[in-house]
């Protein structure tokens, strides 16, 4: 096997599950997520020489995010997922460990997260799933830190408003 | 219904505030119902996402496909690096390696001439189109630490990116464009009121002529390792040559 390939696999493949999770939450579709991750790994391998020594994971996640954007542009699906589409989304079942929320509330939150506009959802996912700093997110999405900050705040405010609105019903 | 301080509150949750701004944010949250609700829901969302992220697994079939893709790609990369570049022909010729190398180089030059001309045309047309649409720069930055990683995942290669502001050629940013049917990284520089686009793409059999001109724009092209580079601009041709020498020195 090629040396470069061995080296890449040792650095990138440990992050495959995380890349897949991110792609799945970004795209809200298991099949799209597979296509996105496959493309992302190939792009990462091609650009690999440029990043040796840098932090691999945020770099890889930025590529996943860009692949998702390209994939979306190709599929021309700019509109947010509908509630009916989300019905078919099978997320993992409730975790065995005790959780703050019950299963039905957890599903409600999943649904709200999935319905956030792409611009908001991606910053929230990078922040919460990947624990990236504002600077890292700013580099990943190619936008200023101020934009990252305001999108995160708006994403959370939207979630809060939806949550409270449903409670009030 | 919201509060004007949600950005600060949200940044506080992310640990992005310094101590004094953090203390202010905390004091505000204690008195603001909106921000209290925001903190509560954001906390639940955070926990949900962190919990989920840890449990999703990439399917084994996906893992296998990726391994196969990488193996295929590794072969392509090896072939590319074995492909003789033009400079090696001339080195061989100069050191008397043989007439066949010279003949091959000449044959190549003759064969590629028409296609090479059309490559020049497409570079200039692309440059002019980008200028007239005002969309020459997708990532705006004079910092090569920002511009270089921006290309990863967007372009099929990592272009050389340096700032030559001290020499009069300031890095302005970059974009991705198409050259000869493939994606090229375009690094954008400014010189006086002019723009210089440095196109970089993986070398193919056809390369633009060393220097050419079209519609008042100059194109200077060369190869470095397995990349082809072309500087396109309407600056004076000796200024463009000076720019090219700076880039070549930085690449070597
Ligand atoms: Zn508030």
């Amino acid at each position: 096997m090629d040396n470069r390939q061995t080296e890449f696999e040792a650095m990138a493949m440990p992050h495959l599950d995380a890349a897949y999770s991110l792609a799945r939450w970004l795209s809200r579709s298991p099949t799209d997520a597979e296509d996105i991750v496959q493309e992302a790994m190939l792009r990462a391998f091609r650009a690999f020489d440029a990043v040796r020594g840098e932090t691999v994971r945020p770099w890889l996640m930025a590529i996943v995010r860009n692949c998702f954007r390209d994939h979306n542009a190709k599929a021309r699906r700019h509109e947010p997922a509908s509630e009916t589409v989300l019905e078919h989304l099978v997320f993992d079942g409730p975790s065995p460990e005790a959780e703050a929320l019950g299963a039905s509330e957890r599903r409600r939150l999943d649904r709200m997260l999935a319905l956030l506009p792409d611009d908001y959802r991606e910053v929230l996912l990078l922040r919460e799933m990947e624990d990236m700093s504002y600077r890292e997110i700013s580099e990943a999405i190619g936008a200023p830190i101020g934009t990252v900050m305001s999108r995160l705040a708006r994403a959370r405010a939207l979630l809060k408003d939806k949550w409270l609105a449903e409670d009030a019903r | 219904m919201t509060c004007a301080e949600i950005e600060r509150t949200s940044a506080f949750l992310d640990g992005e505030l310094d101590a004094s701004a953090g203390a202010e944010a905390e004091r505000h949250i204690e008195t603001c119902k909106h921000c209290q609700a925001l903190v509560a829901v954001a906390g639940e969302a955070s926990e949900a996402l962190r919990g989920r992220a840890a449990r999703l697994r990439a399917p084994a079939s996906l893992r296998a496909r990726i391994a196969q893709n990488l193996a295929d790609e590794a072969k392509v990369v090896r072939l590319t690096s074995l492909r003789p570049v033009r400079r090696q022909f001339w080195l061989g010729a100069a050191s008397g390696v043989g007439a066949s190398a010279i003949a091959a180089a000449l044959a190549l030059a003759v064969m590629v001439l028409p296609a090479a001309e059309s490559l020049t045309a497409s570079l200039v047309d692309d440059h002019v189109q980008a200028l007239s649409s005002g969309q020459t720069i997708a990532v705006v930055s004079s910092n090569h630490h920002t511009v270089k990683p921006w290309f990863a995942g967007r372009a099929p290669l990592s272009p050389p990116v340096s700032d030559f502001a001290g020499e009069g050629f300031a890095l302005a940013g970059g974009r991705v464009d198409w050259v000869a049917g493939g994606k090229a990284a375009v690094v954008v520089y400014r010189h006086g009121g002019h723009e210089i686009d440095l196109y970089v793409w993986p070398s193919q059999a056809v390369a633009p002529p060393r220097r050419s001109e079209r519609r008042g724009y100059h194109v200077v092209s060369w190869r470095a390792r397995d990349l082809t580079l072309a500087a396109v601009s309407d600056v004076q041709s000796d200024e463009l040559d000076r720019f090219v020498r700076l880039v070549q020195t930085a690449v070597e």
Side-chain angles (χ1 to χ4, degrees):
Chain A
M1 197 192 281
D2 193 82
N3 245 351
R4 193 167 162 276
Q5 187 187 347
T6 318
E7 214 178 308
F8 176 79
E9 289 188 351
M11 277 175 85
M13 293 307 261
H15 306 301
L16 184 64
D17 289 338
Y20 176 71
S21 301
L22 180 63
R24 180 117 165 233
W25 277 88
L26 282 170
S27 69
R28 299 162 295 205
S29 147
T31 44
D32 286 357
E34 292 202 25
D35 289 348
I36 290 164
V37 170
Q38 211 176 321
E39 171 69 18
M41 283 298 184
L42 205 51
R43 287 196 203 177
F45 185 46
R46 287 179 189 145
F48 178 43
D49 297 310
V51 289
R52 272 169 220 219
E54 288 178 43
T55 355
V56 172
R57 186 157 165 153
W59 171 74
L60 200 57
M61 296 305 152
I63 295 178
V64 169
R65 177 264 179 192
N66 289 333
C67 285
F68 162 68
R69 285 284 168 144
D70 290 355
H71 194 265
N72 237 12
K74 240 183 272 168
R76 294 183 194 289
R77 292 177 320 169
H78 293 293
E79 75 279 6
S82 67
E83 304 260 348
T84 43
V85 169
L86 291 168
E87 289 300 305
H88 299 286
L89 257 184
V90 186
F91 290 126
D92 288 359
S95 89
E97 65 267 22
E99 287 174 341
L101 293 181
S104 73
E105 293 204 300
R106 178 57 57 88
R107 265 199 298 279
R108 186 175 147 201
L109 193 55
D110 282 354
R111 184 165 43 79
M112 290 179 178
L113 284 167
L115 285 171
L116 283 178
D118 284 353
D119 283 351
Y120 293 173
R121 199 171 66 255
E122 70 179 9
V123 288
L124 197 64
L125 294 180
L126 293 173
R127 172 68 206 132
E128 302 292 9
M129 285 175 69
E130 285 304 314
D131 211 12
M132 284 189 186
S133 69
Y134 285 12
R135 171 165 296 283
E136 285 170 326
I137 298 171
S138 136
E139 281 170 11
I141 68 169
I145 288 180
T147 306
V148 174
M149 182 151 93
S150 76
R151 283 188 189 164
L152 271 170
R154 283 184 208 167
R156 286 164 172 156
L158 267 177
L159 284 179
K160 178 205 73 168
D161 290 347
K162 279 182 208 242
W163 190 273
L164 295 183
E166 285 195 7
D167 272 352
R169 243 183 250 162
Chain B
M1 238 190 356
T2 186
C3 153
E5 302 294 339
I6 56 165
E7 282 193 17
R8 190 179 61 183
T9 298
S10 169
F12 170 70
L13 292 178
D14 293 323
E16 295 271 348
L17 297 181
D18 62 29
S20 74
E24 261 176 62
E26 242 177 325
R27 273 196 301 280
H28 169 79
I29 293 165
E30 278 167 21
T31 62
C32 174
K33 272 191 207 132
H34 297 298
C35 286
Q36 284 166 11
L38 184 98
V39 169
V41 174
E44 299 293 2
S46 172
E47 209 172 313
L49 286 170
R50 278 161 211 266
R52 293 308 169 89
R55 288 201 313 279
L56 277 181
R57 294 274 172 268
S61 57
L62 173 64
R63 202 173 278 273
R65 271 204 311 283
I66 290 172
Q68 185 58 51
N69 286 349
L70 296 183
D72 292 347
E73 184 68 19
K75 274 181 227 149
V76 174
V77 170
R78 255 202 309 269
L79 285 178
T80 315
S81 54
L82 284 176
R83 189 186 299 155
V85 294
R86 190 174 287 171
R87 206 170 95 202
Q88 285 168 329
F89 276 129
W90 293 115
L91 284 177
S95 61
V97 162
S100 63
I102 298 172
L106 288 176
L108 186 67
V110 170
M111 217 165 55
V112 302
L113 211 52
E117 293 299 342
S118 79
L119 205 47
T120 299
S122 79
L123 282 169
V124 169
D125 292 347
D126 185 271
H127 175 72
V128 173
Q129 203 201 337
L131 283 177
S132 61
S133 68
Q135 292 173 342
T136 55
I137 306 184
V139 55
V140 183
S141 175
S142 57
N143 184 342
H144 67 278
H145 291 302
T146 306
V147 177
K148 198 172 172 67
W150 181 85
F151 283 109
R154 291 184 172 87
L157 56 101
S158 173
V161 179
S162 312
D163 184 22
F164 306 112
E167 289 84 3
F169 301 94
L171 178 63
R175 70 172 185 277
V176 171
D177 245 316
W178 295 84
V179 171
K183 275 187 179 175
V186 186
V187 190
V188 181
Y189 291 86
R190 295 217 189 284
H191 179 66
H194 302 271
E195 181 172 313
I196 300 175
D197 281 353
L198 180 65
Y199 290 79
V200 187
W201 67 96
S203 290
Q204 302 170 358
V206 183
R210 170 84 181 91
R211 54 177 60 247
S212 47
E213 196 188 336
R214 178 185 161 85
R215 295 164 65 181
Y217 291 84
H218 301 284
V219 179
V220 177
S221 178
W222 73 101
R223 289 190 183 191
R225 299 193 200 100
D226 51 357
L227 298 179
T228 300
L229 297 89
V232 183
S233 180
D234 61 347
V235 296
Q236 299 285 331
S237 71
D238 53 341
E239 285 295 278
L240 193 60
D241 285 339
R242 192 161 72 82
F243 169 74
V244 166
R245 279 194 300 276
L246 286 169
V247 177
Q248 286 173 334
T249 313
V251 172
E252 289 311 316

